[in-house]
Amino acid sequence: PSLPPHARSFPAADSMGSGSKLRLWCSAFACALAFLGARGDDDHLVDITYVESAVAKGAVCLDGSPPAYHLAPGSGSGVSSWLVHFEGGAWCNNATTCLHRSRTPLGSSKEMARQAAFTGILSNASDYNPDFYNWNKVKVRYCDGSSFTGDKEEVDPSTNVHYRGARVWQAVIEDLLAKGMNKAKNALISGCSAGGLTSILHCDRFHQLLPADANVKCLSDAGFFINVKDITGANHAEAFFNDVVATHGSAKNLPSSCTSKLPAGVCFFPQNEVQQIQTPLFILNAAYDSWQVIIR
C-alpha cells in the first residue's frame, strides 16, 4: 500500500536495522525491526512498573490486574527524547479465547516477568542502536488482546474478563507524561505485530498528547494485515477482526475517519486509514510473513 504523502525520512531512524540479517519471532510472526542487532546487550534488564493508579479508572488487563511497562531512563543528549514500544501478541476474539488469554502474560500483569531484556531498537548499546541508545525507552506490555482499542464498561459475568484496552493505553501514556514525557522534544511510538497495529491506530492520538513543538513520529513493524479470501473462498481475516471489535467494543476507539465510511471491523486493516493519518508514519513489513499465510 502507498504511504501517506507526509511520511518522510526520520533522521534518527534512518539506520535502524541496516545490515542485519537477524530475524527473531515476535508474537506469531517475525518482527524484523524491534529486536534486530541485539547482540552484546542481553544483560540490559529493565524492571517492570505497574500502573496501580489505573485500576481505579477501570484501566485494567483482561483479568483486572493493573497495566504495566518497563522504562529505561534516557541520558545525555537523549534525555528529552522518548521511544515508546508496544509489545505484540495477536488478539483474542471471543469470550473463550479472551478467558484463556487472561491467564497468561498477554492478559494479566500478574503473570508477566518482572524484568525485560531491552534489545534492538530498545538497546542501550550505541554500537548496535546508535540512534536511540540514550533515549528514554519504554516497552509497554500488551495485556488486553485488542491492540489497545477495547472499552466495555460491563465485566463479563461468566468469565470476569475486562475489555478495557483503550483505557489501558490512556493510563500508561498519562503515567509516562507525568514522568517527563510531557516535556519531550522528540518522540517515537513503535510496535510489532499487534503492537505495530497499535502504533498506527493510536498514532495521531499519541501526537496530540505531546507538546505542540515536539517532533513526533510513528513506526509500525509487521502491523499490516491483508484482507483477502482464503483458498476456500472464506474471508477469514475480516471475520476474525469483526469478532475482535465486537468482543472488545472497539468501534468507538478506532479512527473516525475510517469508521465513518466503513464497518468497524474493516478499520482494523491499516490500509483503510493510513492515508488519513496526519503524523509522519513509517511502515515496515516483510515480503514474506508467515502470519499472513496463517490467517488466510
Side-chain angles (χ1 to χ4, degrees):
S2 59
L3 293 177
H6 56 271
R8 296 291 185 261
S9 172
F10 187 23
D14 286 345
S15 62
M16 288 186 292
S18 60
S20 176
K21 297 184 188 234
L22 180 63
R23 187 173 185 262
L24 297 180
W25 287 96
C26 176
S27 308
F29 57 92
C31 285
L33 181 63
F35 301 100
L36 285 179
R39 57 178 181 170
D41 60 340
D42 291 339
D43 59 346
H44 183 206
L45 299 176
V46 180
D47 291 337
I48 197 168
T49 297
Y50 300 101
V51 190
E52 300 285 359
S53 61
V55 177
K57 304 174 185 177
V60 293
C61 300
L62 289 171
D63 71 333
S65 58
Y69 62 81
H70 304 259
L71 167 63
S75 62
S77 61
V79 74
S80 296
S81 297
W82 288 74
L83 168 59
V84 181
H85 182 81
F86 293 93
E87 184 180 25
W91 312 268
C92 60
N93 66 323
N94 55 47
T96 300
T97 58
C98 289
L99 175 60
H100 174 76
R101 189 184 183 99
S102 72
R103 298 164 178 167
T104 75
L106 288 170
S108 170
S109 61
K110 297 176 184 177
E111 303 297 327
M112 295 173 183
R114 299 301 175 91
Q115 292 183 315
F118 271 31
T119 59
I121 196 173
L122 298 177
S123 169
N124 67 345
S126 59
D127 289 346
Y128 304 111
N129 187 27
D131 301 302
F132 305 108
Y133 75 95
N134 64 347
W135 283 31
N136 297 279
K137 298 182 297 293
V138 183
K139 178 179 181 179
V140 180
R141 301 303 297 267
Y142 182 33
C143 69
D144 69 280
S146 72
S147 285
F148 298 91
T149 62
D151 191 0
K152 283 188 173 179
E153 184 64 38
E154 66 276 11
V155 178
D156 190 318
S158 62
T159 63
N160 199 36
V161 169
H162 302 67
Y163 301 103
R164 305 282 179 74
R167 296 191 203 185
V168 168
W169 186 91
Q170 187 71 28
V172 168
I173 296 300
E174 287 178 355
D175 203 59
L176 294 174
L177 289 169
K179 291 183 176 179
M181 196 168 69
N182 62 329
K183 298 179 181 178
K185 294 180 180 178
N186 299 290
L188 173 69
I189 57 168
S190 69
C192 69
S193 178
L197 179 59
T198 298
S199 66
I200 293 173
L201 296 177
H202 292 283
C203 182
D204 282 342
R205 188 174 293 117
F206 177 75
H207 193 175
Q208 291 165 3
L209 293 174
L210 273 291
D213 60 348
N215 183 26
V216 182
K217 294 179 172 62
C218 308
L219 166 65
S220 170
D221 181 5
F224 256 73
F225 305 93
I226 55 177
N227 185 12
V228 295
K229 295 180 179 180
D230 61 24
I231 58 175
T232 70
N235 205 332
H236 174 73
E238 184 173 327
F240 181 84
F241 280 155
N242 282 336
D243 289 344
V244 171
V245 169
T247 298
H248 291 266
S250 300
K252 60 180 174 290
N253 295 309
L254 296 173
S256 60
S257 59
C258 181
T259 56
S260 62
K261 303 173 184 176
L262 297 170
V266 178
C267 293
F268 242 65
F269 294 96
Q271 54 267 41
N272 294 319
E273 54 206 6
V274 290
Q275 294 294 341
Q276 284 72 49
I277 294 175
Q278 299 300 307
T279 306
L281 169 65
F282 299 87
I283 297 167
L284 173 65
N285 259 65
Y288 300 96
D289 187 334
S290 65
W291 181 256
Q292 307 293 352
V293 176
I294 293 170
I295 65 173
R296 287 191 297 169

